[in-house]
């Protein structure tokens, strides 16, 4: 190379345009943006059209009406993030509720009856978890089968009759928890907040929680990284069983009776709340915060329908349509079909 040859500095490459503000908001808020925006719009609309909507009495009614769904949805969040699905959760709640009612009916103390119901919930979770994680049967097959078994068991336990527990002394602690208040704030609201915070911390900041996300993202990669896949799978179904037991106690506390019947829309509402809240149906992504938004979104819709004198028969239709739309939007977003600003790619030299 001659000394006269000059070395030219590299040509400057134009930097790609920075993302717009809306794009940054979309990325930072993740999959909860849509449901949060929808919830805000609903609240504003109902506040204008239904003066009673924003009253404290109606707000506490929304909390009480959706606490069962919230507890079941928190348990379902763990299962779905891990890449599974529990179709038997509503039936398990019926069995644990009947167990609680029967224990009270046979003279057991309040705490023995509660402990018994929780133990039954854990047992039902173990049944699902063992069959799925160790026997290696598909979670759809197992939970579809146990849905039918648990539903039948709840009916057999009392010959299809509801157990009235209102006059039983041991029922009072649960009744007071579900219906009582402190300084005007329902105990149930405080319980829901504590439950959500604990579940969120477990998912985000514990080794177990990280294992649940890893399991849903890639089971084989999780196994190669030292995660006990079978034990983690069993654990999430144990959590779902425990959630079913807690939900059943709340349900009995609200109705003052243990019923073997199952709300036909309960399972759909629980799954819809989790998926609407941004948890990926394929697993590996989501969180309890989004699930809370999903429960509130569906709960506000149902409350709005009631205040507007719309027949409750439309509840299943609304939940189903919202679920399909939410999952469709999630798929569109994941595939890059929903973008506020695509930007321009720099020209190649």
């Amino acid at each position: 190379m001659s000394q006269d040859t000059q070395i030219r500095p590299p040509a400057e490459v134009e930097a790609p345009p920075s993302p717009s503000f809306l794009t940054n908001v979309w990325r930072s808020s993740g999959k909860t943006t849509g449901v949060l925006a929808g919830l805000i719009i609903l609240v504003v609309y109902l506040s204008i059209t239904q003066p009673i909507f924003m009253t404290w009495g109606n707000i506490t009614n929304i909390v009480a009406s959706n606490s069962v769904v919230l507890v079941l949805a928190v348990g379902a969040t763990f299962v779905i993030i891990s890449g599974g699905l529990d179709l038997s959760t509503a039936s398990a709640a019926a069995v644990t509720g009947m167990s609680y009612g029967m224990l009270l009916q046979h003279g057991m103390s309040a705490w023995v009856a509660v402990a018994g119901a929780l133990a039954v919930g854990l047992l039902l979770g173990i049944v699902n978890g063992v069959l799925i994680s160790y026997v290696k049967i598909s979670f759809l097959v197992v939970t579809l089968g146990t849905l039918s078994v648990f539903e039948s068991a709840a009916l057999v336990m009392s010959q299809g009759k509801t157990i009235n527990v209102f006059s039983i002394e041991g029922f009072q602690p649960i009744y007071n928890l579900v219906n009582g208040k402190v300084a005007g704030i329902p105990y149930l609201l405080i319980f829901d907040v504590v439950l959500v915070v604990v579940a969120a911390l477990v998912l985000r900041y514990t080794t177990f929680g990280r294992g649940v996300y890893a399991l849903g993202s890639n089971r084989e990669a999780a196994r190669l990284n030292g995660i006990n896949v079978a034990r983690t799978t069993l654990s999430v179904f144990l959590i779902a069983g425990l959630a079913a037991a807690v939900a059943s106690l709340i349900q009995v506390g609200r109705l003052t009776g243990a019923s073997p019947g199952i709300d036909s829309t309960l399972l759909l509402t629980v799954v819809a709340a989790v998926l609407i809240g941004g948890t990926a149906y394929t697993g590996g992504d989501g969180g309890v915060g989004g699930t809370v938004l999903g429960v509130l979104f569906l709960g506000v819709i149902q409350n709005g329908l009631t205040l507007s004198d719309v027949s409750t028969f439309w509840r299943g239709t609304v939940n189903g349509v919202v679920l399909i739309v939410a999952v469709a939007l999630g798929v569109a977003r994941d595939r890059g079909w929903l973008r506020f600003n695509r930007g321009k790619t720099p020209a190649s030299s």
Side-chain angles (χ1 to χ4, degrees), residues 70-303:
L70 175 64
V71 174
L72 290 175
V74 168
T77 301
F78 281 82
V79 176
I80 295 176
I81 289 177
S82 74
L85 181 63
D86 187 357
L87 300 175
S88 68
T89 183
S91 300
V95 172
T96 53
M98 292 304 297
S99 301
Y100 172 68
M102 293 185 70
L103 287 170
L104 288 178
Q105 194 177 49
H106 285 80
M108 297 295 146
S109 68
W111 305 116
V112 170
V114 169
L118 296 178
V120 170
L122 287 172
L123 178 61
L124 299 182
I126 288 174
V127 171
N128 282 334
V130 168
L131 291 175
I132 294 167
S133 58
Y134 292 99
V135 184
K136 306 296 184 184
I137 304 176
S138 166
F139 62 83
L140 287 176
V141 174
V142 171
T143 59
L144 184 61
T146 53
L147 179 155
S148 180
V149 171
F150 297 164
E151 183 177 357
S152 178
L155 293 169
V156 169
M157 290 172 74
S158 66
Q159 301 302 310
K161 299 178 181 178
T162 297
I163 300 176
N164 189 337
V165 297
F166 181 72
S167 59
I168 300 177
E169 183 178 355
F171 171 62
Q172 291 307 306
I174 290 297
Y175 179 81
N176 292 336
L177 171 65
V178 174
N179 300 284
K181 297 180 181 180
V182 55
I185 302 175
Y187 289 128
L188 197 54
L189 175 58
I190 299 173
F191 173 82
D192 289 344
V193 171
V194 172
L195 174 68
V196 167
V197 170
V198 170
L201 291 176
V202 168
L203 263 179
R204 291 293 180 181
Y205 300 107
T206 66
T207 302
F208 167 73
R210 290 189 288 271
V212 172
Y213 281 101
L215 200 63
S217 298
N218 189 315
R219 298 178 75 87
E220 182 60 21
R223 185 186 65 80
L224 294 175
N225 279 278
I227 295 174
N228 190 320
V229 173
R231 187 170 60 193
T232 304
T233 302
L234 175 60
S235 297
V236 296
F237 280 95
L238 279 173
I239 291 173
L242 185 60
V246 174
S248 72
L249 295 175
I250 296 173
Q251 182 80 329
V252 174
R254 292 189 66 237
L255 302 178
T256 67
S259 173
I262 302 170
D263 182 356
S264 59
T265 65
L266 181 56
L267 176 62
L268 171 62
T269 305
V270 169
V271 175
V274 177
L275 298 182
I276 289 170
T279 296
Y281 65 92
T282 52
D285 192 16
V288 176
T291 295
V292 174
L293 290 176
V295 172
L296 287 175
F297 183 73
L298 293 177
V300 168
I301 287 178
Q302 300 308 324
N303 183 257

